[in-house]
């Protein structure tokens, strides 16, 4: 899946990293990949706030696995 995202030319590199971070955020057991792509998103030009907004959006929609008592790849959301 991810190879297809990066092989196409219809998304910019920041957009590709954004999509990848969002997809990995919804998966269990991918913490190293998620951390690498979060760093890659920042290197591609996204701000900390833009990357963090993915977290907030997915938490608000209750789409991050295990966020209610499980092993979430994200830190707890600040109030």
């Amino acid at each position: 899946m991810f190879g297809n995202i990066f092989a196409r030319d219809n998304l910019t590199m920041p957009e590709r990293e954004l999509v990848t971070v969002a997809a990995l955020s919804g998966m269990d057991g991918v913490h190293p990949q998620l951390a690498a792509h979060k760093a890659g998103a920042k290197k591609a030009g996204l701000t900390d706030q833009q990357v963090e907004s993915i977290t907030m959006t997915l938490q608000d929609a209750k789409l991050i696995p295990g966020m209610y008592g499980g092993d979430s790849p994200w830190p707890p959301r600040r109030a």
Side-chain angles (χ1 to χ4, degrees):
M1 174 178 128
F2 298 110
N4 289 337
I5 291 171
F6 284 89
R8 294 180 179 179
D9 64 356
N10 57 338
L11 296 174
T12 65
M13 186 56 71
E15 290 169 336
R16 292 173 196 190
E17 288 292 355
L18 188 71
V19 169
T20 304
V21 168
L24 289 171
S25 296
M27 298 178 187
D28 286 323
V30 295
H31 297 200
Q33 294 92 333
L34 178 57
H37 281 284
K38 285 175 71 177
K42 292 175 188 177
K43 284 183 181 178
L46 295 173
T47 66
D48 288 334
Q49 182 179 3
Q50 289 171 315
V51 174
E52 182 64 23
S53 72
I54 300 167
T55 306
M56 291 181 191
T57 300
L58 294 174
Q59 285 181 350
D60 287 346
K62 298 179 177 74
L63 296 175
I64 296 178
M67 68 177 283
Y68 299 104
D71 183 23
S72 174
W74 296 98
R77 182 172 178 195
R78 296 182 197 118

